[in-house]
Amino acid sequence: FQASCDEFQGEPLWFDIHRRMSNRGVFRDCFSFEDLDAERQPVPKLGVDAWAPSNAHLLIHGAMHRVAHGRGTHATRLNWLYDLALLFEAMDSAERQSFVHEALERRMGAVCAHALETCEAGFGMDFPADVRDELMGQAAREPAAKLLNAGRVSWALSDLMQQRGLGGKIRFAGELLSNRLR
């Protein structure tokens, strides 16, 4: 669902509203809005009522987003990677531990490690080996890890298999076919 306001400081203002953090099946249940709200942080520069997810949640979501958006085709977008590098570098050791714990709990360790390895290669960011090793420790059991370098067919199959019920799978397959025929 997208909505727009007429103007905001002379420019159109768009809202992209989601029921879930991702429409990709493998990421669908990574976060609930209640999860994010429970550990939110204030953003005083935006006002007393402005809040954002915790830095750990922001980093996990950013790592997920770069893979999920375009089914991995936008994984090297400079602006997304730079944001992730800045977030990781700004974290103190306690925040990094919270990030690693949350990433592993949500079965996103490999996705996060992949993002931070890309940041390290691109920006010379320090990505400590112990953090990398801890994030990769459960990669074999993480469904998203198999999709990090997957092509369109693997993504389509993953999305198909993540649909709920036979009816959901049939509707999704129909959407895939109708989009392919256009």
Side-chain angles (χ1 to χ4, degrees), residues 72-92:
T73 58
H74 299 292
T76 57
R77 284 184 65 172
L78 182 63
N79 59 329
W80 292 349
L81 289 170
Y82 192 61
D83 287 345
L84 296 178
L86 290 174
L87 262 172
F88 185 75
E89 288 180 326
M91 290 179 164
D92 60 26

Side-chain angles (χ1 to χ4, degrees), residues 1 16 23-24 29 34 36 47 50 69-70 109 115 134 162-163 178:
F1 173 77
D16 188 3
N23 60 355
R24 295 280 162 253
D29 297 320
E34 292 80 15
L36 299 175
H69 198 284
E134 197 171 352
Q162 294 290 327
Q163 299 303 308
S178 70

Side-chain angles (χ1 to χ4, degrees), residues 30-94:
C30 182
F31 290 113
S32 69
F33 289 104
E34 292 80 15
D35 293 337
L36 299 175
D37 187 53
E39 296 193 30
R40 68 186 184 186
Q41 60 186 344
V43 185
K45 289 184 179 183
L46 295 178
V48 295
D49 294 322
W51 299 90
S54 70
N55 286 342
H57 288 162
L58 286 171
L59 189 53
I60 296 165
H61 180 258
M64 173 186 75
H65 186 257
R66 67 181 277 278
V67 174
H69 198 284
R71 297 182 177 137
T73 58
H74 299 292
T76 57
R77 284 184 65 172
L78 182 63
N79 59 329
W80 292 349
L81 289 170
Y82 192 61
D83 287 345
L84 296 178
L86 290 174
L87 262 172
F88 185 75
E89 288 180 326
M91 290 179 164
D92 60 26
S93 62

